[in-house]
């Protein structure tokens, strides 16, 4: 198992490197001059040129890429933000926990709401429970998240005054953004759970369990659910990407200084280091979560675990 | 519902031409309504929260301007002087007085009791150092005009500049650079980026990047002389919290939920509700932004034809546009620049300025030698909602003339880049701001010295340039010259001023008066609060 | 008369995470024109792999394959094209062996079209002839596989294999998935076709009754190895290898009056991955001694009766 | 062979029709899929006949009649420029649907090809393609969209590409999984043994049989893309005005969500309807195409 | 059918239908048979004949929907299982009646330890601790010839034959009175099949369990059963003791079956297949369901449904062409 994890971690290198080069090239190609963005509109061409020189923007593509990669690899230094005039890494570490918190809470919501919805639907296939749960689920993916966010704010903050409408200053502040952001995830989760549950319910070992004399509830909890969870876990991993992307919008609506806002701000001001490093950070987080998902998968499914173990053994032979 | 119509900043008459050669600290600028020092500490309101539209990001003193920094800098830093209204006279801050001592040479005397919050004595040496550092970093544009600046003694600084200043030029230089203690700055691990130490009346106690800034009133503020306590040295509230709100619709919500007390970014549509709500007061200010339409004047371009430009201007209904894009917070412009700029002439408003007249537009269009359907123009605009609306109105109205318009809305980084590319647009929807005097937005568009010998929109007109040189010089800045320039630019119409906007600030009704700096940003310490505010 | 198909020391190893899987290991035999060679053995012993290697669906690892006396082991693509017109395969699973998106006619016509030997019209006529030959109604020309029952599907598979008049057909358990009543129909069809066109079959199955019924000669495989081969009648009369004996005795018989002696195999099945040299059956063999750890070779124990067992003579008192 | 009357009668029928008919028959038994299908059809009809349905031109401004709530003349009210929202929505269906449809088409063609190659060839090809997909997936979709629309500039086609790009990964993964599922089916071997070329095998045997899940995924992606278009407009990118794309309408009006709720609500409802309909259809298709239900 | 009043299990007029895409599939059409204690009853028939449906109906584990038991009685020691409360039925499942499933590959929960799966049923029906249940389960594993050390392994670590043994162990764990074995060896290789059959036989003898053995393999039935019924299209077409049917098969379908299979014992130059195909269960032919494939059929066979007749003592046949004297 350890070897497998190691191998997966090593596989992350080409992916993250690819992401780095890709995002670097995107920023290189994007029109918009960071020097101009930094200086006031009255700046003269000479001043702009001087700034470009200072920022190292006049060097050729490969030299810049090389320096950037070198910085990351040798010093774990993503460079300084031009707007914030500070090491990007520091700010990222500041902001990342907020984004991550939102993402994690969203995933939590997704699990504790989406999965039961899916189960209800599957158990009452084609019944009322199914219809209602699936309608809720479909609803969730049919509304833009910013719209949901604004509606939630109007209702819970303005009308009822229960929750703060923006900012980040304690647990209460996470509730609305997380709900707004979790909606599509909940929906996807519910649907996925339903279909994988339906598949499992039809399988032979469920009949076996029934033939043992177990009650439907026991069967559901002990046999059906654990098996149905497998494909559901994959969704959680994939949904992470969507969640992280969704936070860009959510953070801006709720004025949450997370990585999404940082990234969008970075794009707007052409602060290359911010953009590059945020994306790399997100990519790292994403690949890492995917790894965790795979491990969780293995944890639940002995068949997969066995595969890992085998690979492990083979490693010893070799 | 209280509504305070407040074109406060009276346009300074171009009489200001007797520009301050020597400016003793004006005994009484009309400003400080709160000249009497706060009698009792306890009477002050505890806390006021203000919404700002963007994160200042970097609080360091010598960094370039950004949306977020504008909003808070005046609360953080102190400068040599401040201009407390557009085109108005400068008031002393750290500098007690300033005078011209020779050709291109000035002498500035500062107060001898300036201390920052860490107790550092700020001397002339710190002033010179601040200026030199900022100049070297190159982020603060006007400092480029300085040849040298040096301390003479503890309280005197010598300033030498490249050329003699026009109206407001010196003030611009003196009010541009935050003055900080060299010692404190050098001791700071991050160059004041997150924990600035300044001499201002408020002390930054907490900064959550991207979210909020908290300031607390200093008990030991150095400027104890009420006479010198300018707008910017006021401290009418114990604690100020700036909250970053990026989504416009959230401003109203923040006010209604009591999360902020003052917000400037409330959308037009939320405004109506606040006007009808006794719990809030709305303050209506003239802004310093003018929306104008610039024509591409590069050689051989159809828009080098004056009739065509005029035809376009006549075809655009600016009053209707006002109603559509910002009802109640906008007026049709009569030049490029707002009525609150120094030197603006009231009479222009009664002169014709291409008021909507489709017939005339069609005549001129025909005279320009073009036929309907023949022209397709690309209209470049930024990608904010308001620009989008204006662009669409222009598109529709030019459609009436038979000119097809393709709208290209791009994000600001791209806009800033391609704005100076003659192939990027035919029509440019531009926003001009500029300094305190009416000629500064003009300079931004027309000054051919800035843009490789053409106006920013590629026209070449020596007469225009000489008129501009005259009006922006110290000697030439008078009513007659200002008017002459206006008439000339109006006739040539290289750029068409369309709308000037008001900015509307909504505040809790406990905020009695909102005070803003010349860039239109609220100065919370100087605002006036009801006795029971926030109690 | 020379053999139509001959294999010599044929090997096929698969690389798996756990090591080399010896699916077919050193197998030699030959099939004469117009005859049927039955291949029996339990699941996973390499029967299908053997068939696939012979018709070049899989590359062999080692050894030689002759067709009509020519060594075709390393046929180049041009030869392969020709070869594949002469060697066909009929699959076990009538469900997965037909492309569900192609009609009966399209499936049967595919080899004709690919060969470019038929005009569109001629291909239609030929398809009609093939359908008649295998007994599929013309009205089913445009039917899709899912509309057919297993027997008919298998007939479509047979018709496809008969296109272009092949000489040799590998029948990979063509009747295992069919019901007894249908099974007999298909077996009869295969026999009729053989008589009519002098086809040569390699008939892979694990059903001993079927193989006895249809084959002229039989190979018994165990874990990739050929353990016994001889004429069909001979094999059932005198099974010599202990495995063959167990196999034959294990078949439940419908003769309720004569209980026969059962050889129940015990012991675990050797893994086909990196197997040790020596007899692969020894762990389950009641007769095994240390001799069995030596590699076993096919020997002609009785005339034209080959067995790979070092103790075969002792056991059978020959 | 003997014709038993017990055998399901299979009558002569037109080629290709039957499978389609089977799917359609299954669909028709699924009320929510039918509703989805009907709504999609209605939307398409609305898009095609927009000029006949819309009471006003979509860009007809009336600056004297802005921000009017729904009334008899303007059943969904007017926007900031006095344009009829209903007409804009009707015309907008053209852009929103075609953005959704074309972006998904674009992404699915690329994604399917990549997925089919990866699944069919496996090994190094698979590794390279999948790492590429990993890379694309690791970059937040919105950044990709922003980057692409900034690099290419705004505009219909570019927005389309920007939105489609993110959907490639899903199509690719679905296709690959699906191909892996049939990779070892015997009919592929049969094709090889019939001398079919790799190209023929992939186009004639692999893709048609692994297409179903991708198709289902695609119907759902259409909804996602329309939603992402809205998100892109939220950031100020995307389609240029005065094109009445729904996403742009909803995000343009969001500042007026309280004073002029109709400006946001109606396009919102239409986006919701569309996404809902495509998802319902997709769900139904998934069931109808489910091979397990096949006899 | 037996008139024996002392029958342990009696299935009477069982009718099971499935609804699929609007059409009704007549899977089981009035099946009746009886089984004595300690005996093994065989159900033989082709795919889709309705064998599994009968077994699942007895345990009442048919998937509903689509399956519905339309009619009939299933008397276990005189108690009609079909009228029991679900709660009471649960006490019978796994305890008094248990089932071995057709496909060992899928009948075990892939992510649960095999030992646990056996212990589960023991725990369910006995008031004992987990520990005891697990010890019991270990014993059961040993009983079916799997070392108890493998308790903690997962199904994927077992071969097909071993999985089938686990299922058997599970079915026998609570000493059921009735074992429903649904093609327990079909998925297995012959050598393994022999092992499993041997074991079932032995266990049955030792525990004196009654059993219903479902198979389409006549050989398997011959090995194990005492009595058997041949099922065609959801109906019993022939019923009797093993000897009766193997020696004196009467029904044309049964006769056809025997001549269609190749055997190891006799040389057949050519098989005699039953012509045609099994009927579509949603659209059964009128009259005798077998008539379209029957070599003896005439109009009379198409007209009305044919009753099951006793053509010889204990030998029942559903064919009008078969006269009692013939046998
Ligand atoms: N492509 C492959 N990769 C790895 N191993 C394979 C592959 N194909 C077959 N094998 C292995 O080779 C061995 C022989 O397989 P093969 O399919 O030839 O057996 P078989 O005798 O046909 O079995 P069955 O009766 O189940 O069809 C098995 O252990 C199988 O797992
Ligand atoms: N879940 C179901 N839905 C619809 N029809 C079904 C279902 N299960 C079984 N059937 C139908 O009921 C009939 C009887 O099925 P059953 O499984 O009882 O047959 P069987 O004799 O056990 O066949 P096999 O030998 O294949 O196991 C068949 O026609 C089958 O198609
Ligand atoms: Mg095989
Ligand atoms: Mg069955």
């Amino acid at each position: 198992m350890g070897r497998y994890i190691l191998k997966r971690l090593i596989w992350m290198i080409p992916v993250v490197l690819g992401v780095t080069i890709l995002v670097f090239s995107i920023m290189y190609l994007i029109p918009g001059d960071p020097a101009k963005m930094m200086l006031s509109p009255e700046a003269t061409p000479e001043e702009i040129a001087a700034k470009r020189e200072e920022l190292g923007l006049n060097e050729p593509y490969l030299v810049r890429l090389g320096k950037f990669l070198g910085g990351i690899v040798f010093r774990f230094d993503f460079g300084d933000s031009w707007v914030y005039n500070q090491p990007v890494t520091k700010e990222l570490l500041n902001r990342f926990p907020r984004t991550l918190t939102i993402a994690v809470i969203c995933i939590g919501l997704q699990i504790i709401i989406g999965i039961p919805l899916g189960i209800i639907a599957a158990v009452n296939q084609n019944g009322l429970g199914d219809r209602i749960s699936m309608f809720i689920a479909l609803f969730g993916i049919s509304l833009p998240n910013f719209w949901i966010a604004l509606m939630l704010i109007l209702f819970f903050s303005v009308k009822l005054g229960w929750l703060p409408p923006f900012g980040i200053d304690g647990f209460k502040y996470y509730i609305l953004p997380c709900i707004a952001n979790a909606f599509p995830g909940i929906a996807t989760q519910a649907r996925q759970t339903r279909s994988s549950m339906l598949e499992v319910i039809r399988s032979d070992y469920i009949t076996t369990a029934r033939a043992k004399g177990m009650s439907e509830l026991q069967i559901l909890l002990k046999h059906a659910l654990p098996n149905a969870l497998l494909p559901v876990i994959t969704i959680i991993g994939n949904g992470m990407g969507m969640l992280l992307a969704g936070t860009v919008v959510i953070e801006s609506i709720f004025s949450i200084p997370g990585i999404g806002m940082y990234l969008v701000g970075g794009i707007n001001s052409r602060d290359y280091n911010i953009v590059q490093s945020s994306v790399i950070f997100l990519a790292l987080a994403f690949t890492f979560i995917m790894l965790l998902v795979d491990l969780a998968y293995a944890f639940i499914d002995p068949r997969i675990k066995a595969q890992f173990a085998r690979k492990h053994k083979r490693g010893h032979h070799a | 519902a209280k509504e305070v119509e407040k074109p406060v900043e009276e346009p300074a008459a171009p009489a200001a031409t007797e520009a301050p050669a020597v400016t003793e600290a004006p005994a009484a600028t009309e400003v400080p309504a709160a000249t009497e020092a706060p009698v009792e500490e306890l009477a002050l309101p505890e806390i006021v929260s203000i919404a700002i539209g963007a994160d200042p990001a970097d609080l360091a003193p010598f960094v370039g301007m950004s949306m977020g920094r504008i909003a808070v800098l005046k609360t953080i830093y102190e400068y040599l002087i401040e201009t407390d209204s557009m085109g108005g006279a400068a008031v002393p801050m750290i500098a007690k007085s300033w005078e011209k001592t020779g050709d291109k040479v000035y002498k500035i005397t500062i107060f001898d009791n300036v201390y920052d919050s860490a107790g550092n004595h700020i001397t002339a040496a710190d002033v010179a150092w601040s200026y030199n550092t900022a100049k070297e970093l190159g982020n603060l544009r006007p400092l480029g005009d300085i040849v040298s600046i040096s301390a003479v003694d503890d309280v005197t600084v010598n300033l030498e500049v490249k050329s003699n200043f026009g109206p407001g030029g010196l003030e611009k230089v003196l009010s541009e650079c935050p003055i900080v203690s060299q010692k404190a700055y050098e001791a700071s691990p991050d160059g004041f980026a997150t924990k600035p130490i300044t001499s201002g009346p408020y002390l930054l106690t907490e900064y959550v990047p991207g979210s909020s800034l908290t300031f607390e009133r200093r008990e030991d503020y150095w400027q104890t002389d009420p006479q010198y306590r300018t707008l910017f040295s006021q401290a009418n509230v114990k604690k100020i919290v700036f909250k970053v709100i990026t989504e416009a619709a959230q401003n109203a919500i923040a006010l209604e939920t009591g999360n902020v007390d003052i917000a400037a970014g409330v959308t037009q549509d939320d405004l109506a509700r606040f006007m009808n709500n006794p719990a809030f007061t709305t303050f209506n200010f003239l802004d310093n932004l003018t929306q104008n339409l610039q024509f591409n004047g590069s050689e051989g371009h159809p828009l080098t034809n004056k009739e065509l430009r005029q035809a376009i201007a006549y075809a655009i209904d600016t009053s209707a546009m006002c109603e559509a894009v910002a009802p109640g917070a906008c007026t049709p412009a009569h030049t490029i620049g707002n009525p609150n700029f120094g030197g603006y002439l009231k009479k222009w408003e009664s002169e014709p300025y291409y008021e909507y007249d489709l017939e005339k537009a069609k005549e001129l269009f025909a005279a320009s030698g073009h036929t309907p359907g023949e022209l397709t123009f690309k209209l470049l605009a930024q990608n904010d909602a308001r620009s989008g609306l204006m662009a669409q109105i222009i598109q529709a109205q030019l459609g009436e003339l038979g000119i097809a318009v393709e709208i290209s809305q791009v994000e600001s980084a791209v806009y800033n880049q391609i704005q100076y590319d003659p192939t990027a647009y035919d029509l440019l929807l531009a926003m001009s701001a500029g300094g305190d005097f009416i000629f500064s937005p003009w300079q931004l568009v027309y000054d051919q010295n800035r843009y490789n010998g053409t106006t920013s929109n590629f026209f070449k007109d020596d007469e225009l340039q000489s008129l501009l040189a005259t009006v922006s010089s110290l000697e030439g800045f008078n009513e007659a010259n200002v008017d002459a320039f206006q008439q000339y630019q109006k006739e040539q119409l290289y750029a068409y001023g369309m709308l000037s906007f008001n900015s509307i600030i909504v505040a809790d009704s406990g905020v009695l008066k909102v005070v803003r700096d010349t860039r239109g940003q609220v100065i919370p310490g100087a605002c006036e609060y009801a006795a029971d505010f926030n109690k | 008369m020379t053999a139509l198909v001959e294999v010599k020391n044929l090997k096929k190893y698969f690389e798996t995470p756990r090591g080399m899987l010896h699916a077919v290991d050193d197998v030699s035999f030959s099939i004469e024109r117009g005859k049927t060679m039955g291949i029996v053995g339990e699941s996973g012993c390499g029967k299908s792999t053997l068939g696939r290697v012979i018709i070049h669906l899989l590359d062999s690892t080692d050894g030689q394959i002759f067709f009509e006396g020519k060594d075709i082991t390393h046929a180049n693509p041009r030869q392969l094209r020709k070869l594949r017109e002469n060697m066909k395969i009929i699959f076990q699973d009538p469900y997965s062996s037909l492309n569900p998106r192609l009609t009966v006619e399209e499936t049967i016509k595919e080899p004709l079209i690919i060969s470019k030997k038929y005009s569109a019209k001629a291909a239609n006529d030929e398809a009609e002839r093939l359908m008649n030959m295998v007994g599929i109604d013309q009205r089913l020309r445009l039917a899709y596989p899912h509309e057919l029952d297993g027997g008919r599907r298998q007939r479509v598979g047979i018709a496809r294999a008969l296109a272009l008049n092949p000489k040799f057909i590998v029948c990979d358990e063509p009747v295992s998935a069919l019901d007894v009543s249908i099974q007999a129909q298909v077996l009869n069809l295969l026999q009729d076709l053989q008589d009519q066109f002098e086809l040569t079959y390699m008939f892979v199955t694990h059903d001993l009754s079927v193989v006895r019924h249809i084959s002229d000669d039989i190979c018994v495989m165990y874990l990739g190895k050929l353990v016994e081969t001889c004429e069909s009648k001979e094999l059932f009369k005198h099974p010599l290898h202990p495995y063959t004996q167990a196999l034959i005795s294990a078949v439940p018989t419908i003769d309720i009056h004569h209980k026969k002696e059962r050889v129940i195999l015990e012991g675990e099945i050797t893994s086909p991955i990196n197997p040790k040299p020596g007899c692969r059956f020894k762990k389950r063999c009641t007769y095994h001694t240390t001799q069995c750890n030596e590699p076993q070779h096919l020997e002609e124990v009785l005339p034209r009766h080959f067995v790979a067992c070092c103790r075969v003579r002792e056991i059978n008192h020959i | 062979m003997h014709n038993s009357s017990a055998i399901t009668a299979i009558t002569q029928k037109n080629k290709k029709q039957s499978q389609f008919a089977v799917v359609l028959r299954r669909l028709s038994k699924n009320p929510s899929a039918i509703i989805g299908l009907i709504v999609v059809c209605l939307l398409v009809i609305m898009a095609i006949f927009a000029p006949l349905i819309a009471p006003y031109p979509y860009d007809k401004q009336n600056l004297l009649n802005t921000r009017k709530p729904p009334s008899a003349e303007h059943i969904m009210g007017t926007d900031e420029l006095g344009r009829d929202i209903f007409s804009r929505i009707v015309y907008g269906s053209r852009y929103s649907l075609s953005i959704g449809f074309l972006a998904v088409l674009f992404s699915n063609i690329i994604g399917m090809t990549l997925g089919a190659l990866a699944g069919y060839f496996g090994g190094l090809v698979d590794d390279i393609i999948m790492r590429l997909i990993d890379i694309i997936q690791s970059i937040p979709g919105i950044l990709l969209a922003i980057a692409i629309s900034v690099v290419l500039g705004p505009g219909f086609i570019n927005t389309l590409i920007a939105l489609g790009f993110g959907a490639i990964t899903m199509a690719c993964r679905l296709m690959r999984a699906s191909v892996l599922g049939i990779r070892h089916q015997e009919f592929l071997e049969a094709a090889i043994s019939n001398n079919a070329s790799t190209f023929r095998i992939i186009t004639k045997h692999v893709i048609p049989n692994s297409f179903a899940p991708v198709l289902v995924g695609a119907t759902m992606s259409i909804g996602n893309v329309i939603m992402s278009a809205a998100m892109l407009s939220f950031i100020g990118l995307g389609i240029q005005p005065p094109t009445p794309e729904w996403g742009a309408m909803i995000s343009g009006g969001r500042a007026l969500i309280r004073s002029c709720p109709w400006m946001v609500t109606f396009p919102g409802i239409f986006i919701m309807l569309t996404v809902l309909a495509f998802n319902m259809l997709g769900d139904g298709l998934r069931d109808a195409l489910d091979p397990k239900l096949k006899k | 059918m037996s008139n024996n009043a002392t029958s342990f299990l009696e299935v009477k007029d069982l009718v099971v239908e499935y609804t699929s895409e609007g059409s009704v599939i007549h899977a089981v059409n009035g099946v009746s048979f009886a089984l004595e204690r300690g005996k093994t009853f065989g159900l033989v028939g082709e795919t889709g004949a309705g064998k599994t449906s009968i077994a699942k109906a007895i345990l009442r584990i048919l998937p509903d929907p689509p399956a519905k038991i339309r009619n009939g009685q299933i008397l276990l020691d005189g108690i009609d299982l079909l009228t029991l409360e679900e709660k009471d039925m649960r006490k019978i499942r796994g305890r008094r009646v248990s089932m071995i499933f057709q496909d060992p590959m899928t009948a075990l929960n892939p992510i649960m330890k095999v030992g646990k799966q056996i212990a589960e049923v023991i725990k369910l029906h006995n008031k004992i601790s987990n520990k005891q249940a697990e010890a019991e389960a270990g014993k059961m594993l040993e009983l079916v010839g799997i070392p108890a050390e493998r308790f903690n392994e997962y199904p994927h670590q077992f071969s097909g034959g071993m999985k089938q043994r686990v299922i058997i162990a599970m079915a026998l764990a609570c000493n059921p009175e009735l074992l429903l074995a649904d093609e327990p060896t079909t998925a297995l290789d012959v050598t393994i099949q022999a092992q499993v059959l041997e074991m079932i036989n032995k266990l049955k003898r030792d525990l004196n369990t009654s059993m219903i053995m479902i198979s389409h393999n006549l050989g398997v039935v011959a090995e194990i059963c005492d009595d058997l019924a041949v099922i065609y299209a959801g109906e019993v077409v022939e019923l009797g003791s093993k000897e009766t049917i193997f020696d004196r098969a009467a029904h044309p379908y049964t006769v056809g079956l025997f001549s269609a299979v190749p055997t190891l014992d006799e040389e057949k130059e050519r098989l005699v297949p039953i012509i045609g195909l099994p009927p579509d269960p949603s659209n059964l032919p009128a009259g005798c369901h077998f008539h379209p494939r029957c070599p003896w059929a005439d109009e009379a066979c198409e007209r009305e449904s044919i009753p099951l007749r006793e053509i010889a003592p204990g030998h029942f046949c559903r064919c009008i062409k078969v006269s009692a004297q013939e046998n």
Side-chain angles (χ1 to χ4, degrees), chain B residues 452-515:
Chain B
N452 303 323
T454 68
T455 63
S456 72
N457 51 339
F458 327 115
F459 283 96
K460 213 173 165 66
D461 184 336
D462 292 338
E463 181 166 3
L464 182 84
Q465 184 62 29
S466 83
L467 285 172
L468 183 64
T470 309
V471 75
S472 58
S473 72
L474 209 48
E475 311 76 43
F477 182 54
N478 59 42
E479 200 165 321
N481 288 339
V482 166
D483 195 36
F485 185 88
Q486 157 74 357
Q487 299 311 331
Y488 186 78
Q489 70 151 326
K490 182 159 92 183
E491 173 60 19
Q492 295 304 322
L493 204 71
Y494 298 133
Y496 173 45
M498 294 192 299
L499 315 176
S500 35
F501 292 113
N502 291 16
S503 91
I504 297 183
I505 294 179
V506 180
D508 186 285
S509 56
V511 179
L512 302 178
K513 179 179 173 199
V514 166
V515 178

Side-chain angles (χ1 to χ4, degrees), chain E residues 149-160:
Chain E
E149 298 99 80
R150 304 195 66 170
F151 185 96
N152 282 326
E153 289 184 13
Y154 290 93
H156 70 89
Q157 291 164 293
F158 281 35
S159 69

Side-chain angles (χ1 to χ4, degrees), chain C residues 216-242:
Chain C
D216 301 299
D217 300 292
I218 293 184
C219 288
V220 181
M221 286 182 74
Y222 189 79
L223 280 183
K225 286 279 192 193
L226 193 55
V227 294
E228 184 163 3
T229 173
C230 64
E231 269 198 5
S232 173
K233 282 184 195 131
E234 164 75 8
L235 187 87
F236 286 95
K237 229 177 282 163
H238 305 294
L240 298 181
H241 195 283

Side-chain angles (χ1 to χ4, degrees), chain C residues 198-214:
Chain C
E198 214 196 353
L199 291 172
T200 308
Y201 291 144
M202 175 172 153
F203 200 99
V204 173
T205 183
H206 60 250
D207 187 332
L208 288 167
S209 332
V210 168
V211 83
R212 175 187 143 113
H213 174 78
I214 201 159

Side-chain angles (χ1 to χ4, degrees), chain B residues 396-415:
Chain B
Q397 296 186 327
L398 294 194
E400 300 280 308
L401 260 195
I403 300 174
V405 173
E406 276 171 16
I407 300 173
S408 168
Q409 278 191 277
V410 296
E411 52 152 357
S412 64
V414 178
Y415 180 92

Side-chain angles (χ1 to χ4, degrees), chain C residues 179, chain D residues 295, chain E residues 18-20 25-28 45-54 62-63 66-67 102 182-183 214 216 281:
Chain C
D179 250 320
Chain D
K295 282 206 247 176
Chain E
Y18 293 89
T19 342
S20 158
I25 293 171
H26 304 277
V28 180
E46 292 179 83
T47 298
K51 307 179 297 289
T52 304
S53 302
I54 296 172
L62 282 166
Q102 200 162 357
D182 185 4
E183 315 213 12
I214 294 173
H216 60 244

Side-chain angles (χ1 to χ4, degrees), chain C residues 52 55 57 80-82 84-85 87-89 91-93 95-103 106 110-111 113-114 135 137-140 142-144 146-148 152-153 155 160 172 185, chain D residues 1-4 7-19 22-23 26 184-197 200 204-206 208-212 289 294-295:
Chain C
R52 283 174 166 77
I55 64 162
L57 274 174
L80 204 58
R81 276 182 75 84
K82 186 84 203 87
R84 281 183 173 153
E85 290 177 5
M87 302 171 126
K88 287 296 171 67
I89 182 165
F91 295 95
Q92 165 174 11
D93 183 352
Y95 292 86
S96 80
S97 62
L98 298 183
N99 183 342
R101 309 271 155 185
L102 297 187
T103 58
E106 284 172 313
E110 180 167 47
I113 290 168
I114 292 171
D137 255 18
Q138 284 302 316
R139 69 193 169 88
L140 296 178
L142 299 174
Y144 284 90
H146 69 90
E147 296 168 301
L148 306 182
R152 282 211 180 87
R153 283 163 175 254
R155 285 168 196 268
R160 174 175 60 188
D172 190 356
Q185 296 172 5
Chain D
M1 95 172 263
H2 187 87
N3 287 332
S4 161
I7 302 165
T8 329
I10 300 163
T11 44
Q12 279 281 1
K13 67 201 109 176
N14 287 332
K15 190 168 174 268
K16 294 291 172 201
Q17 188 200 313
S18 83
Q19 281 223 315
V22 169
V23 169
R26 290 223 181 95
H184 293 291
Q185 291 215 7
E186 286 166 340
F187 67 82
L188 294 183
E189 281 187 289
I192 295 172
S193 75
N194 282 332
N195 277 325
S197 64
R200 184 184 173 92
K204 195 118 181 133
H205 297 282
V206 175
N209 282 293
S210 30
F211 185 63
L289 292 170
K294 271 190 189 140
K295 282 206 247 176

